[in-house]
Amino acid sequence: MIRFVSLGPGDPELITLKGLRALQQADVIFCPATAIKSLVGGKDSFSSRAAEIVRALGIKEECISLFHVPMSRDREKARRAYDQLAVEVNRARRKRLEAVVVAEGDAGFYSSIHYLFDKLRADRIEVEQIAGVPAFIAAGATAGLHIVKQTERLLVIPGTATAYELISQVKEGQVVVIMKLSACQAAVRTCLATHPEFLYYYFEQVGTKDERRVTDPTQLMSMTFPYFSLLIIRKPEE
């Protein structure tokens, strides 16, 4: 069986006991990594927040295997990366190694790891997905927010949202969570400029030492949102 372990957003202590046990029992743990371009013309290096979390949980370094996921809107590049990972995962399985693939947040929630999960399942390989804490849930907890109350509705959307969609949904009373915020910066700024009365809760690098929270619309207007950021928007309570 190939296990897909959700690591949570960044704080190693937010992993589930089931997820931790799977890591501890694994012979090889595949961690996504992104390339860091060399400034002096040498070889690129790789950065992996997932591997940092795994190391912080006391897992032996020799169990960790990085795989490169291209950060591109061309999803075909990501699919090719996961096709190659499928080959490596199958190689480990044939050697009867306990193989785990990890994902930050929850592996089934806006996670590109689904390419691999679906491919293995289509090939009739037994897989298990272990749940984790999504970033927006962890963000609400760190800020002491009750994200939704009583009969309120929650809408979680990716960074493809338009300003019109954001504004109309919040006006209708929905609490809106925008994931992958860096992809819709212009839409967010339009919302901020036209509706400063909305309540904005911005988070980046949730669960890490670099975690940041901002609620001032004026400050948000001048910011650039990185990849690991999200925004919660709601109407003021009446």
Side-chain angles (χ1 to χ4, degrees):
M1 177 186 292
I2 308 301
R3 290 183 170 85
F4 288 72
V5 174
S6 305
L7 298 176
D11 182 348
E13 293 186 347
L14 288 180
I15 192 171
T16 65
L17 290 174
K18 185 174 183 178
L20 177 59
R21 191 177 304 114
L23 294 179
Q24 292 170 335
Q25 294 171 350
D27 298 305
V28 58
I29 301 168
F30 295 98
C31 299
T34 54
I36 301 175
K37 292 291 183 182
S38 172
L39 299 178
V40 293
K43 290 185 177 180
D44 294 346
S45 59
F46 292 91
S47 173
S48 174
R49 293 212 323 176
E52 290 174 6
I53 296 170
V54 172
R55 292 185 185 105
L57 291 168
I59 304 302
K60 294 180 181 178
E61 185 68 32
E62 56 264 32
C63 294
I64 298 173
S65 177
L66 302 184
F67 65 93
H68 176 221
V69 180
M71 299 297 288
S72 171
R73 292 189 179 183
D74 179 2
R75 300 318 298 163
E76 185 56 35
K77 292 181 179 180
R79 287 188 180 92
R80 288 198 295 268
Y82 284 116
D83 285 344
Q84 179 57 42
L85 178 59
V87 173
E88 296 181 30
V89 168
N90 272 314
R91 185 180 296 124
R93 186 175 65 90
R94 286 194 294 272
K95 291 179 179 179
R96 299 187 181 280
L97 299 176
E98 287 288 332
V100 164
V101 183
V102 300
E104 293 170 63
D106 180 88
F109 194 87
Y110 286 136
S111 176
S112 61
I113 205 75
H114 76 84
Y115 292 128
L116 176 63
F117 186 90
D118 293 345
K119 181 176 179 61
L120 294 177
R121 191 157 59 176
D123 290 340
R124 296 189 175 138
I125 295 171
E126 190 176 5
V127 291
E128 179 186 14
Q129 186 167 293
I130 299 176
V133 179
F136 75 93
I137 295 295
T142 62
L145 290 178
H146 290 84
I147 297 175
V148 285
K149 305 173 186 176
Q150 297 178 346
T151 58
E152 290 178 332
R153 295 187 178 186
L154 178 68
L155 177 66
V156 183
I157 56 178
T160 54
T162 65
Y164 173 79
E165 288 172 326
L166 294 179
I167 293 167
S168 60
Q169 296 293 346
V170 176
K171 280 186 173 180
E172 289 176 6
Q174 296 201 69
V175 179
V176 176
V177 174
I178 311 171
M179 308 291 289
K180 303 180 186 295
L181 188 60
S182 58
C184 64
Q185 306 206 38
V188 169
R189 289 194 181 91
T190 298
C191 186
L192 287 163
T194 56
H195 292 279
E197 76 280 6
F198 289 169
L199 299 179
Y200 298 91
Y201 302 95
Y202 168 84
F203 302 86
E204 65 182 59
Q205 306 289 348
V206 174
T208 73
K209 60 181 176 58
D210 298 317
E211 181 175 309
R212 184 183 185 189
R213 287 177 253 160
V214 178
T215 57
D216 180 6
T218 303
Q219 186 177 352
L220 287 171
M221 278 290 290
S222 62
M223 291 172 53
T224 298
F225 310 133
Y227 179 80
F228 289 108
S229 62
L230 64 92
L231 184 66
I232 302 173
I233 312 174
R234 65 180 304 141
K235 286 201 308 184
E237 293 187 20
E238 299 177 355

